[in-house]
Amino acid sequence: MDKNRLKIEQRERRHHRIRAKVKGTKGVPRLSIFRSNRGLYVQLIDDEKGKTLVSASGEEMVGESKIKSPKLKVKSKVIKTKRRKIKKKIAKLEQAREVGKLIARKALKKKIQKIVFDRGGYKYHGRVKAVAEGAREGGLAF
């Protein structure tokens, strides 16, 4: 079996185990994370109705944030994609923290203060941990 396919299947198995235990409601929705190589997508989900209440992604942060880190050498440049030009590129870890803060702001506007965290089968490390910390800094409790 292909090494990459094996990793994906293992993550999916972990995700199914987590989902068996974690349920979101309207009062306490589930914070779900999907991580790709290029982006990070976060949403608050009401599992009883199967609806997304609030969503945020790393793409929303581009151009909006002025993150600079002395440790990480990230060049800001224009990147052309099929859909549009991205003007500024920031470090993935810092972007994840900002996405956590963004989802917290959007949730608080909809009067959601308490959530259940679903790491999506990923290890609680790196970008996943940064999203959680950013959401906590933004005012969400879990």
Side-chain angles (χ1 to χ4, degrees), residues 27-67:
V28 184
R30 173 172 59 97
L31 178 70
S32 175
I33 294 178
F34 175 72
R35 198 184 75 183
S36 72
N37 288 337
R38 293 185 114 185
L40 186 71
Y41 307 91
V42 182
Q43 52 187 343
L44 290 175
I45 302 169
D46 175 8
D47 288 319
E48 292 174 343
K49 292 185 178 178
K51 293 202 174 188
T52 299
L53 305 174
V54 180
S55 67
S57 69
E59 293 175 0
E60 294 177 38
M61 301 307 300
V62 174
E64 185 179 301
S65 173
K66 296 176 182 171
I67 300 172

mmCIF file of all heavy atoms in Angstrom, residues 27-67:
data_model
loop_
_atom_site.group_PDB
_atom_site.id
_atom_site.type_symbol
_atom_site.label_atom_id
_atom_site.label_comp_id
_atom_site.label_asym_id
_atom_site.label_seq_id
_atom_site.Cartn_x
_atom_site.Cartn_y
_atom_site.Cartn_z
ATOM 1 N N GLY A 27 -26.393 24.575 21.348
ATOM 2 C CA GLY A 27 -25.822 25.318 22.468
ATOM 3 C C GLY A 27 -24.324 25.139 22.615
ATOM 4 O O GLY A 27 -23.607 26.064 22.979
ATOM 5 N N VAL A 28 -23.848 23.928 22.328
ATOM 6 C CA VAL A 28 -22.424 23.603 22.433
ATOM 7 C C VAL A 28 -21.994 22.918 21.135
ATOM 8 O O VAL A 28 -21.954 21.703 21.052
ATOM 9 C CB VAL A 28 -22.137 22.692 23.647
ATOM 10 C CG1 VAL A 28 -20.649 22.453 23.804
ATOM 11 C CG2 VAL A 28 -22.717 23.266 24.922
ATOM 12 N N PRO A 29 -21.690 23.699 20.089
ATOM 13 C CA PRO A 29 -21.341 23.103 18.793
ATOM 14 C C PRO A 29 -19.939 22.490 18.787
ATOM 15 O O PRO A 29 -19.119 22.752 19.667
ATOM 16 C CB PRO A 29 -21.426 24.276 17.827
ATOM 17 C CG PRO A 29 -21.213 25.467 18.660
ATOM 18 C CD PRO A 29 -21.740 25.150 20.018
ATOM 19 N N ARG A 30 -19.681 21.705 17.763
ATOM 20 C CA ARG A 30 -18.397 21.032 17.583
ATOM 21 C C ARG A 30 -17.503 21.879 16.688
ATOM 22 O O ARG A 30 -17.905 22.288 15.608
ATOM 23 C CB ARG A 30 -18.652 19.661 16.948
ATOM 24 C CG ARG A 30 -17.432 18.890 16.547
ATOM 25 C CD ARG A 30 -17.811 17.492 16.113
ATOM 26 N NE ARG A 30 -18.732 17.455 14.997
ATOM 27 C CZ ARG A 30 -18.374 17.281 13.720
ATOM 28 N NH1 ARG A 30 -17.120 17.147 13.394
ATOM 29 N NH2 ARG A 30 -19.289 17.242 12.768
ATOM 30 N N LEU A 31 -16.285 22.153 17.153
ATOM 31 C CA LEU A 31 -15.296 22.880 16.358
ATOM 32 C C LEU A 31 -14.503 21.853 15.566
ATOM 33 O O LEU A 31 -13.683 21.135 16.108
ATOM 34 C CB LEU A 31 -14.360 23.690 17.247
ATOM 35 C CG LEU A 31 -13.251 24.466 16.533
ATOM 36 C CD1 LEU A 31 -13.839 25.620 15.752
ATOM 37 C CD2 LEU A 31 -12.234 24.971 17.508
ATOM 38 N N SER A 32 -14.778 21.773 14.275
ATOM 39 C CA SER A 32 -14.155 20.785 13.398
ATOM 40 C C SER A 32 -13.037 21.428 12.598
ATOM 41 O O SER A 32 -13.181 22.543 12.103
ATOM 42 C CB SER A 32 -15.207 20.216 12.455
ATOM 43 O OG SER A 32 -14.619 19.354 11.528
ATOM 44 N N ILE A 33 -11.922 20.702 12.450
ATOM 45 C CA ILE A 33 -10.755 21.208 11.732
ATOM 46 C C ILE A 33 -10.450 20.313 10.550
ATOM 47 O O ILE A 33 -10.485 19.089 10.664
ATOM 48 C CB ILE A 33 -9.525 21.245 12.656
ATOM 49 C CG1 ILE A 33 -9.727 22.259 13.759
ATOM 50 C CG2 ILE A 33 -8.258 21.545 11.884
ATOM 51 C CD1 ILE A 33 -8.600 22.345 14.737
ATOM 52 N N PHE A 34 -10.157 20.928 9.407
ATOM 53 C CA PHE A 34 -9.600 20.200 8.278
ATOM 54 C C PHE A 34 -8.325 20.909 7.871
ATOM 55 O O PHE A 34 -8.302 22.126 7.689
ATOM 56 C CB PHE A 34 -10.544 20.138 7.072
ATOM 57 C CG PHE A 34 -9.893 19.484 5.883
ATOM 58 C CD1 PHE A 34 -9.666 18.122 5.882
ATOM 59 C CD2 PHE A 34 -9.468 20.232 4.816
ATOM 60 C CE1 PHE A 34 -9.033 17.512 4.811
ATOM 61 C CE2 PHE A 34 -8.841 19.638 3.732
ATOM 62 C CZ PHE A 34 -8.621 18.274 3.736
ATOM 63 N N ARG A 35 -7.263 20.153 7.750
ATOM 64 C CA ARG A 35 -5.948 20.690 7.459
ATOM 65 C C ARG A 35 -5.480 20.129 6.122
ATOM 66 O O ARG A 35 -5.485 18.925 5.922
ATOM 67 C CB ARG A 35 -5.027 20.206 8.571
ATOM 68 C CG ARG A 35 -3.763 20.904 8.761
ATOM 69 C CD ARG A 35 -2.978 20.217 9.837
ATOM 70 N NE ARG A 35 -2.434 18.981 9.268
ATOM 71 C CZ ARG A 35 -1.728 18.087 9.934
ATOM 72 N NH1 ARG A 35 -1.521 18.242 11.212
ATOM 73 N NH2 ARG A 35 -1.255 17.023 9.353
ATOM 74 N N SER A 36 -5.104 21.008 5.216
ATOM 75 C CA SER A 36 -4.502 20.561 3.968
ATOM 76 C C SER A 36 -3.095 21.139 3.900
ATOM 77 O O SER A 36 -2.691 21.890 4.782
ATOM 78 C CB SER A 36 -5.332 21.022 2.765
ATOM 79 O OG SER A 36 -5.185 22.404 2.575
ATOM 80 N N ASN A 37 -2.369 20.802 2.860
ATOM 81 C CA ASN A 37 -1.019 21.349 2.730
ATOM 82 C C ASN A 37 -1.048 22.856 2.499
ATOM 83 O O ASN A 37 -0.149 23.563 2.922
ATOM 84 C CB ASN A 37 -0.279 20.679 1.570
ATOM 85 C CG ASN A 37 0.102 19.265 1.901
ATOM 86 O OD1 ASN A 37 0.210 18.900 3.059
ATOM 87 N ND2 ASN A 37 0.286 18.453 0.877
ATOM 88 N N ARG A 38 -2.061 23.333 1.837
ATOM 89 C CA ARG A 38 -2.132 24.759 1.500
ATOM 90 C C ARG A 38 -2.958 25.572 2.477
ATOM 91 O O ARG A 38 -2.733 26.769 2.620
ATOM 92 C CB ARG A 38 -2.742 24.939 0.117
ATOM 93 C CG ARG A 38 -1.872 24.410 -0.961
ATOM 94 C CD ARG A 38 -2.480 24.731 -2.268
ATOM 95 N NE ARG A 38 -1.599 25.681 -2.952
ATOM 96 C CZ ARG A 38 -1.885 26.238 -4.092
ATOM 97 N NH1 ARG A 38 -3.030 26.010 -4.677
ATOM 98 N NH2 ARG A 38 -1.036 27.039 -4.666
ATOM 99 N N GLY A 39 -3.950 24.987 3.108
ATOM 100 C CA GLY A 39 -4.853 25.787 3.922
ATOM 101 C C GLY A 39 -5.351 25.074 5.161
ATOM 102 O O GLY A 39 -5.046 23.914 5.410
ATOM 103 N N LEU A 40 -6.125 25.812 5.918
ATOM 104 C CA LEU A 40 -6.706 25.321 7.148
ATOM 105 C C LEU A 40 -8.156 25.788 7.176
ATOM 106 O O LEU A 40 -8.429 26.970 6.933
ATOM 107 C CB LEU A 40 -5.940 25.915 8.338
ATOM 108 C CG LEU A 40 -6.315 25.418 9.699
ATOM 109 C CD1 LEU A 40 -5.843 23.981 9.881
ATOM 110 C CD2 LEU A 40 -5.670 26.285 10.756
ATOM 111 N N TYR A 41 -9.069 24.878 7.435
ATOM 112 C CA TYR A 41 -10.493 25.185 7.414
ATOM 113 C C TYR A 41 -11.101 24.762 8.740
ATOM 114 O O TYR A 41 -10.891 23.646 9.201
ATOM 115 C CB TYR A 41 -11.170 24.454 6.247
ATOM 116 C CG TYR A 41 -10.489 24.718 4.933
ATOM 117 C CD1 TYR A 41 -9.465 23.912 4.465
ATOM 118 C CD2 TYR A 41 -10.836 25.836 4.180
ATOM 119 C CE1 TYR A 41 -8.815 24.174 3.275
ATOM 120 C CE2 TYR A 41 -10.193 26.114 2.989
ATOM 121 C CZ TYR A 41 -9.188 25.274 2.541
ATOM 122 O OH TYR A 41 -8.547 25.558 1.362
ATOM 123 N N VAL A 42 -11.855 25.659 9.356
ATOM 124 C CA VAL A 42 -12.434 25.432 10.675
ATOM 125 C C VAL A 42 -13.909 25.774 10.600
ATOM 126 O O VAL A 42 -14.293 26.758 9.967
ATOM 127 C CB VAL A 42 -11.744 26.336 11.727
ATOM 128 C CG1 VAL A 42 -12.293 26.096 13.091
ATOM 129 C CG2 VAL A 42 -10.248 26.125 11.714
ATOM 130 N N GLN A 43 -14.743 24.946 11.245
ATOM 131 C CA GLN A 43 -16.170 25.269 11.282
ATOM 132 C C GLN A 43 -16.801 24.789 12.578
ATOM 133 O O GLN A 43 -16.348 23.821 13.178
ATOM 134 C CB GLN A 43 -16.887 24.694 10.076
ATOM 135 C CG GLN A 43 -16.677 23.241 9.812
ATOM 136 C CD GLN A 43 -17.294 22.797 8.502
ATOM 137 O OE1 GLN A 43 -18.126 23.486 7.937
ATOM 138 N NE2 GLN A 43 -16.899 21.643 8.032
ATOM 139 N N LEU A 44 -17.829 25.513 13.006
ATOM 140 C CA LEU A 44 -18.633 25.112 14.152
ATOM 141 C C LEU A 44 -19.883 24.442 13.620
ATOM 142 O O LEU A 44 -20.613 25.024 12.820
ATOM 143 C CB LEU A 44 -19.007 26.324 15.004
ATOM 144 C CG LEU A 44 -17.856 26.961 15.768
ATOM 145 C CD1 LEU A 44 -18.333 28.211 16.480
ATOM 146 C CD2 LEU A 44 -17.263 26.003 16.762
ATOM 147 N N ILE A 45 -20.138 23.213 14.076
ATOM 148 C CA ILE A 45 -21.201 22.388 13.506
ATOM 149 C C ILE A 45 -22.190 21.976 14.590
ATOM 150 O O ILE A 45 -21.804 21.538 15.671
ATOM 151 C CB ILE A 45 -20.606 21.121 12.853
ATOM 152 C CG1 ILE A 45 -19.608 21.514 11.775
ATOM 153 C CG2 ILE A 45 -21.692 20.237 12.283
ATOM 154 C CD1 ILE A 45 -18.783 20.378 11.246
ATOM 155 N N ASP A 46 -23.474 22.092 14.264
ATOM 156 C CA ASP A 46 -24.560 21.560 15.079
ATOM 157 C C ASP A 46 -24.874 20.172 14.510
ATOM 158 O O ASP A 46 -25.474 20.058 13.449
ATOM 159 C CB ASP A 46 -25.775 22.481 15.007
ATOM 160 C CG ASP A 46 -26.991 21.921 15.741
ATOM 161 O OD1 ASP A 46 -26.854 20.896 16.438
ATOM 162 O OD2 ASP A 46 -28.068 22.516 15.608
ATOM 163 N N ASP A 47 -24.446 19.112 15.201
ATOM 164 C CA ASP A 47 -24.620 17.753 14.692
ATOM 165 C C ASP A 47 -26.065 17.268 14.753
ATOM 166 O O ASP A 47 -26.439 16.362 14.020
ATOM 167 C CB ASP A 47 -23.721 16.772 15.454
ATOM 168 C CG ASP A 47 -22.269 16.943 15.076
ATOM 169 O OD1 ASP A 47 -21.997 17.140 13.876
ATOM 170 O OD2 ASP A 47 -21.403 16.886 15.971
ATOM 171 N N GLU A 48 -26.869 17.852 15.616
ATOM 172 C CA GLU A 48 -28.279 17.439 15.702
ATOM 173 C C GLU A 48 -29.025 17.766 14.414
ATOM 174 O O GLU A 48 -29.827 16.981 13.926
ATOM 175 C CB GLU A 48 -28.954 18.114 16.894
ATOM 176 C CG GLU A 48 -28.430 17.612 18.229
ATOM 177 C CD GLU A 48 -29.002 18.390 19.399
ATOM 178 O OE1 GLU A 48 -29.536 19.497 19.194
ATOM 179 O OE2 GLU A 48 -28.898 17.870 20.523
ATOM 180 N N LYS A 49 -28.750 18.943 13.856
ATOM 181 C CA LYS A 49 -29.402 19.358 12.612
ATOM 182 C C LYS A 49 -28.510 19.141 11.393
ATOM 183 O O LYS A 49 -28.977 19.237 10.267
ATOM 184 C CB LYS A 49 -29.789 20.836 12.689
ATOM 185 C CG LYS A 49 -30.882 21.107 13.686
ATOM 186 C CD LYS A 49 -31.306 22.542 13.635
ATOM 187 C CE LYS A 49 -32.432 22.808 14.611
ATOM 188 N NZ LYS A 49 -32.827 24.214 14.601
ATOM 189 N N GLY A 50 -27.223 18.877 11.626
ATOM 190 C CA GLY A 50 -26.297 18.687 10.523
ATOM 191 C C GLY A 50 -25.988 19.973 9.785
ATOM 192 O O GLY A 50 -25.790 19.973 8.579
ATOM 193 N N LYS A 51 -25.939 21.087 10.516
ATOM 194 C CA LYS A 51 -25.705 22.388 9.883
ATOM 195 C C LYS A 51 -24.444 23.042 10.414
ATOM 196 O O LYS A 51 -24.110 22.919 11.587
ATOM 197 C CB LYS A 51 -26.890 23.322 10.138
ATOM 198 C CG LYS A 51 -28.140 22.858 9.449
ATOM 199 C CD LYS A 51 -29.100 23.984 9.265
ATOM 200 C CE LYS A 51 -30.266 23.489 8.437
ATOM 201 N NZ LYS A 51 -31.146 24.559 8.063
ATOM 202 N N THR A 52 -23.779 23.771 9.529
ATOM 203 C CA THR A 52 -22.619 24.562 9.918
ATOM 204 C C THR A 52 -23.114 25.917 10.403
ATOM 205 O O THR A 52 -23.825 26.619 9.686
ATOM 206 C CB THR A 52 -21.671 24.751 8.723
ATOM 207 O OG1 THR A 52 -21.229 23.468 8.289
ATOM 208 C CG2 THR A 52 -20.480 25.589 9.098
ATOM 209 N N LEU A 53 -22.719 26.275 11.624
ATOM 210 C CA LEU A 53 -23.155 27.539 12.208
ATOM 211 C C LEU A 53 -22.217 28.679 11.831
ATOM 212 O O LEU A 53 -22.660 29.772 11.493
ATOM 213 C CB LEU A 53 -23.236 27.402 13.733
ATOM 214 C CG LEU A 53 -24.116 26.255 14.253
ATOM 215 C CD1 LEU A 53 -23.982 26.133 15.753
ATOM 216 C CD2 LEU A 53 -25.564 26.477 13.857
ATOM 217 N N VAL A 54 -20.911 28.415 11.914
ATOM 218 C CA VAL A 54 -19.895 29.423 11.630
ATOM 219 C C VAL A 54 -18.717 28.715 10.964
ATOM 220 O O VAL A 54 -18.395 27.591 11.322
ATOM 221 C CB VAL A 54 -19.401 30.096 12.938
ATOM 222 C CG1 VAL A 54 -18.349 31.133 12.647
ATOM 223 C CG2 VAL A 54 -20.533 30.714 13.708
ATOM 224 N N SER A 55 -18.076 29.393 10.009
ATOM 225 C CA SER A 55 -16.886 28.816 9.401
ATOM 226 C C SER A 55 -15.819 29.883 9.200
ATOM 227 O O SER A 55 -16.126 31.078 9.119
ATOM 228 C CB SER A 55 -17.220 28.161 8.063
ATOM 229 O OG SER A 55 -17.608 29.133 7.135
ATOM 230 N N ALA A 56 -14.565 29.429 9.125
ATOM 231 C CA ALA A 56 -13.436 30.325 8.865
ATOM 232 C C ALA A 56 -12.343 29.505 8.196
ATOM 233 O O ALA A 56 -12.304 28.283 8.330
ATOM 234 C CB ALA A 56 -12.923 30.933 10.161
ATOM 235 N N SER A 57 -11.479 30.210 7.469
ATOM 236 C CA SER A 57 -10.370 29.511 6.823
ATOM 237 C C SER A 57 -9.160 30.419 6.763
ATOM 238 O O SER A 57 -9.255 31.632 6.988
ATOM 239 C CB SER A 57 -10.754 29.081 5.411
ATOM 240 O OG SER A 57 -10.877 30.194 4.577
ATOM 241 N N GLY A 58 -8.035 29.825 6.440
ATOM 242 C CA GLY A 58 -6.808 30.586 6.306
ATOM 243 C C GLY A 58 -6.850 31.550 5.145
ATOM 244 O O GLY A 58 -6.175 32.573 5.146
ATOM 245 N N GLU A 59 -7.655 31.245 4.139
ATOM 246 C CA GLU A 59 -7.774 32.120 2.979
ATOM 247 C C GLU A 59 -8.395 33.460 3.342
ATOM 248 O O GLU A 59 -8.112 34.472 2.708
ATOM 249 C CB GLU A 59 -8.602 31.446 1.893
ATOM 250 C CG GLU A 59 -7.916 30.241 1.289
ATOM 251 C CD GLU A 59 -8.786 29.497 0.300
ATOM 252 O OE1 GLU A 59 -9.938 29.922 0.071
ATOM 253 O OE2 GLU A 59 -8.309 28.512 -0.252
ATOM 254 N N GLU A 60 -9.241 33.481 4.356
ATOM 255 C CA GLU A 60 -9.851 34.733 4.802
ATOM 256 C C GLU A 60 -8.825 35.647 5.459
ATOM 257 O O GLU A 60 -9.004 36.858 5.488
ATOM 258 C CB GLU A 60 -10.965 34.448 5.812
ATOM 259 C CG GLU A 60 -12.142 33.725 5.226
ATOM 260 C CD GLU A 60 -13.183 33.392 6.280
ATOM 261 O OE1 GLU A 60 -13.404 34.218 7.189
ATOM 262 O OE2 GLU A 60 -13.762 32.306 6.200
ATOM 263 N N MET A 61 -7.743 35.054 5.970
ATOM 264 C CA MET A 61 -6.744 35.822 6.699
ATOM 265 C C MET A 61 -5.754 36.522 5.779
ATOM 266 O O MET A 61 -5.081 37.459 6.189
ATOM 267 C CB MET A 61 -5.965 34.907 7.651
ATOM 268 C CG MET A 61 -6.820 34.191 8.662
ATOM 269 S SD MET A 61 -7.883 35.271 9.615
ATOM 270 C CE MET A 61 -6.713 36.320 10.397
ATOM 271 N N VAL A 62 -5.624 36.088 4.550
ATOM 272 C CA VAL A 62 -4.628 36.656 3.636
ATOM 273 C C VAL A 62 -4.972 38.111 3.332
ATOM 274 O O VAL A 62 -6.082 38.432 2.970
ATOM 275 C CB VAL A 62 -4.562 35.830 2.328
ATOM 276 C CG1 VAL A 62 -3.640 36.494 1.327
ATOM 277 C CG2 VAL A 62 -4.094 34.425 2.628
ATOM 278 N N GLY A 63 -4.005 38.968 3.511
ATOM 279 C CA GLY A 63 -4.197 40.389 3.254
ATOM 280 C C GLY A 63 -4.817 41.128 4.423
ATOM 281 O O GLY A 63 -4.672 42.320 4.548
ATOM 282 N N GLU A 64 -5.490 40.412 5.310
ATOM 283 C CA GLU A 64 -6.163 41.017 6.449
ATOM 284 C C GLU A 64 -5.216 41.147 7.639
ATOM 285 O O GLU A 64 -5.306 42.059 8.425
ATOM 286 C CB GLU A 64 -7.352 40.115 6.820
ATOM 287 C CG GLU A 64 -8.248 40.626 7.890
ATOM 288 C CD GLU A 64 -9.392 39.670 8.135
ATOM 289 O OE1 GLU A 64 -10.153 39.399 7.212
ATOM 290 O OE2 GLU A 64 -9.501 39.186 9.271
ATOM 291 N N SER A 65 -4.282 40.223 7.761
ATOM 292 C CA SER A 65 -3.416 40.136 8.916
ATOM 293 C C SER A 65 -2.036 40.715 8.632
ATOM 294 O O SER A 65 -1.538 40.636 7.524
ATOM 295 C CB SER A 65 -3.311 38.663 9.305
ATOM 296 O OG SER A 65 -2.362 38.509 10.301
ATOM 297 N N LYS A 66 -1.432 41.264 9.655
ATOM 298 C CA LYS A 66 -0.081 41.810 9.516
ATOM 299 C C LYS A 66 0.850 41.065 10.464
ATOM 300 O O LYS A 66 1.411 41.636 11.388
ATOM 301 C CB LYS A 66 -0.083 43.295 9.833
ATOM 302 C CG LYS A 66 -0.910 44.089 8.854
ATOM 303 C CD LYS A 66 -0.972 45.534 9.230
ATOM 304 C CE LYS A 66 -1.857 46.281 8.262
ATOM 305 N NZ LYS A 66 -2.125 47.631 8.684
ATOM 306 N N ILE A 67 0.985 39.786 10.227
ATOM 307 C CA ILE A 67 1.788 38.945 11.101
ATOM 308 C C ILE A 67 3.238 38.966 10.634
ATOM 309 O O ILE A 67 3.531 38.718 9.484
ATOM 310 C CB ILE A 67 1.255 37.505 11.086
ATOM 311 C CG1 ILE A 67 -0.179 37.487 11.572
ATOM 312 C CG2 ILE A 67 2.111 36.601 11.938
ATOM 313 C CD1 ILE A 67 -0.850 36.168 11.416
#
